[in-house]
Amino acid sequence: MTHVIVVGGGPVGTVAALDAARSGFDVTIVEAATEVQDDPRASTLHPPTLEMLDDLGLLDEVLRLGLTARYFDFWDKPNRSLVARLDHEVLRDETRFPFVVQTEQHKIARLGLDRLEALPNVDVRLGTRVTGVEQSAGTATVHAEGPGGPVDLAGDWVIGCDGARSTVRKSMDIEFEGYTWDERFVVLTTLFDFAEAMDCSYRAYFADPVEWSNLFKVAGDDLKGRWRVVFPARPGESDEEALSDESVRRRMEAVWPGASAGEVVHGKLYRVHQRVAQKFRVGRVLLSGDAAHVNNPIGGLGLNCGIHDAVELMEALRAHEGGASTDVLDAYETRRRDLNIRYVQEQTVGNKRRLEETDPELRAQRLDELREIAADEESQRRFLRRTSLLESVREPHVTG
Ligand SMILES: Cc1cc2nc3c(=O)[nH]c(=O)nc-3n(C[C@H](O)[C@H](O)[C@H](O)COP(=O)(O)OP(=O)(O)OC[C@H]3O[C@@H](n4cnc5c(N)ncnc54)[C@H](O)[C@@H]3O)c2cc1C
């Protein structure tokens, strides 16, 4: 029986492991932490990702634990005016899910691990940190530190889903090409209800030459609802400065007067990168998710693209185990790397530029473009097809 070792029990690793188990492979999933980390990161799941989670039998729970968002807003922050409201319903003929779902990524990982624990062909190893990977012609072996001490696990394939600092990627000497932005991003979570105050959608981007912002409503673990607000920190701004009561108050008030009255229940700063691994495959070792690529979160694309990697990788592995040559695995690398560069890297950099544009003429032009897109259904459809990655997953590919 084919044995797949998945390194990393985050959202991408758990999806990869579930798909591998469903494919009839023996699966070992190795996660360094003893429980799922719940810091605020991805929440937006786009239509093609919903299709994949549905195929894996996870969607009902993902919907129950999240919020459905049909609309997506762009605002002009200095004027506090709505520029464009885009409606995912224009995708109704192309996907069975013409909306996004805001479900926090830790819920997906928890759900995935719970399902995996119940499967007879899956070995879930929490509290086990992979320290290196080696391979020979017929086997790939991970070295790890587990609760009982060092352990070696051998399998047919190792899938590195161990995040941006991937040990699997480093063990294979794969370069992580790209750059890190000077400024970090501040993510505040507040109980202030922006939709009630300003009638914005559950996902809203605010362009501002001084300080752009993004707003998202998430359900929270209590399902009572809360908002995440993302801002750029100034280059060099410390955690203490960015999370001080005064700067939190100032940033919230700049989005909407009175917003600082809401209780801020969490605050965190993230370093932000645009990087793509030079290779996604070395022999029996393959990469998916943040181990393979990272990007700024404007557009909500990193996790979505990572889940698409995992699902397409399993398609390729099934084809290979069914008799296709290793060309299908090389095609995984070529296609997923190219799609990440053309859709995810390009759009997230473009999104950041659009929100932070300081040149008044260019800024006006970019906002006018959004107004024109929103005014025409076909333009909206083309725009959302691209921003939701639907266009990327529908690009033809060969699985051998
Ligand atoms: C503020 C913010 C907002 C974001 N919003 C969105 C969004 O709305 N939509 C979107 O698509 N993306 C978003 N992203 C990106 C998204 O969070 C990542 O793309 C996503 O976490 C990738 O999942 P992953 O499973 O590949 O990696 P991770 O979530 O990083 O998981 C990696 C796992 O591997 C484990 N691990 C690490 N090293 C080892 C080791 N040596 N041995 C064993 N286990 C190990 C870790 O403990 C972890 O559980 C956002 C990111 C940030 C920072």
Side-chain angles (χ1 to χ4, degrees):
M1 177 72 74
T2 303
H3 182 196
V4 175
I5 300 174
V6 177
V7 182
V12 173
T14 50
V15 164
L18 272 175
D19 206 357
R22 194 184 63 137
S23 309
F25 302 147
D26 279 340
V27 179
T28 303
I29 178 163
V30 188
E31 164 57 47
T34 48
E35 55 189 50
V36 172
Q37 311 297 301
D38 66 355
D39 58 316
R41 294 168 71 191
S43 62
T44 303
L45 301 170
H46 293 286
T49 315
L50 300 176
E51 293 173 1
M52 293 173 192
L53 295 176
D54 188 37
D55 293 344
L56 287 169
L58 291 175
L59 190 63
D60 288 350
E61 277 295 278
V62 167
L63 288 171
R64 188 182 69 76
L65 297 171
L67 299 170
T68 298
R70 171 173 164 180
Y71 299 102
F72 168 31
D73 290 358
F74 282 94
W75 287 65
D76 186 2
K77 190 172 162 193
N79 301 327
R80 298 203 175 89
S81 63
L82 178 66
V83 173
R85 177 158 293 166
L86 303 163
D87 183 356
H88 284 82
E89 182 60 23
V90 298
L91 299 174
R92 62 189 166 273
D93 294 334
E94 307 189 41
T95 172
R96 50 195 200 274
F97 305 111
F99 46 82
V100 305
V101 174
Q102 306 272 115
T103 301
E104 301 91 319
Q105 70 177 58
H106 67 267
K107 294 179 179 171
I108 300 169
R110 260 186 214 144
L111 199 58
L113 285 173
D114 285 350
R115 295 275 172 96
L116 288 164
E117 302 257 13
L119 294 175
N121 55 336
V122 180
D123 177 12
V124 178
R125 293 181 178 234
L126 301 181
T128 305
R129 175 172 294 279
V130 169
T131 51
V133 184
E134 278 179 331
Q135 58 181 324
S136 62
T139 316
T141 305
V142 302
H143 306 296
E145 281 294 330
V151 59
D152 289 344
L153 303 162
D156 297 293
W157 304 100
V158 169
I159 317 295
C161 302
D162 49 343
R165 295 181 187 161
S166 172
T167 302
V168 176
R169 187 186 67 238
K170 289 176 190 160
S171 297
M172 293 294 108
D173 267 334
I174 300 174
E175 212 176 309
F176 210 20
E177 296 171 337
Y179 58 91
T180 299
W181 294 98
D182 284 342
E183 73 273 37
R184 294 187 294 165
F185 286 10
V186 184
V187 182
L188 302 175
T189 307
T190 173
L191 301 185
F192 183 78
D193 189 346
F194 285 97
E196 192 179 276
M198 58 191 291
D199 196 26
C200 63
S201 299
Y202 286 179
R203 186 164 163 245
Y205 288 2
F206 293 73
D208 186 345
V210 177
E211 186 180 72
W212 57 265
S213 319
N214 293 337
L215 282 183
F216 308 92
K217 187 171 185 183
V218 294
D221 284 347
D222 58 8
L223 303 186
K224 288 185 177 163
R226 57 204 54 216
W227 290 76
R228 288 186 185 162
V229 197
V230 186
F231 308 90
R234 290 187 312 280
E237 189 175 359
S238 68
D239 286 43
E240 293 67 33
E241 283 173 271
L243 300 178
S244 71
D245 290 348
E246 179 44 33
S247 64
V248 167
R249 195 199 62 75
R250 182 193 61 73
R251 285 190 159 110
M252 286 294 185
E253 289 296 307
V255 179
W256 196 255
S260 66
E263 186 190 347
V264 172
V265 292
H266 193 271
K268 184 161 173 158
L269 276 88
Y270 292 88
R271 194 156 290 293
V272 189
H273 321 267
Q274 306 288 155
R275 292 183 188 276
V276 182
Q278 210 227 332
K279 294 179 190 166
F280 286 17
R281 170 174 182 238
V282 177
R284 297 184 165 272
V285 180
L286 296 114
L287 302 177
S288 289
D290 274 19
H293 44 73
V294 286
N295 52 272
N296 83 65
I298 311 173
L301 297 180
L303 172 60
N304 284 271
C305 183
I307 290 177
H308 304 176
D309 292 343
V311 168
E312 290 197 11
L313 173 52
M314 287 309 144
E315 236 173 83
L317 265 189
R318 280 194 297 272
H320 177 62
E321 293 298 319
S325 76
T326 51
D327 288 357
V328 288
L329 301 176
D330 290 333
Y332 161 80
E333 164 179 274
T334 313
R335 172 178 152 89
R336 293 308 309 169
R337 194 170 180 279
D338 171 61
L339 291 179
N340 185 273
I341 293 168
R342 283 193 293 119
Y343 286 87
V344 176
Q345 301 299 328
E346 194 192 300
Q347 289 196 79
T348 53
V349 172
N351 287 339
K352 183 170 180 296
R353 298 239 157 91
R354 180 194 275 135
L355 296 188
E356 70 192 8
E357 183 57 62
T358 52
D359 178 274
E361 236 173 79
L362 273 179
R363 183 169 191 276
Q365 192 185 319
R366 286 183 170 167
L367 297 184
D368 280 346
E369 278 163 16
L370 290 168
R371 287 187 187 96
E372 280 164 26
I373 290 167
D376 173 62
E377 181 162 331
E378 179 52 25
S379 307
Q380 266 200 66
R381 193 189 66 80
R382 276 202 306 272
F383 183 83
L384 289 174
R385 217 175 168 266
R386 188 167 171 76
T387 56
S388 69
L389 299 181
L390 201 54
E391 186 179 310
S392 76
V393 300
R394 299 285 196 260
E395 279 197 13
H397 64 295
V398 189
T399 50

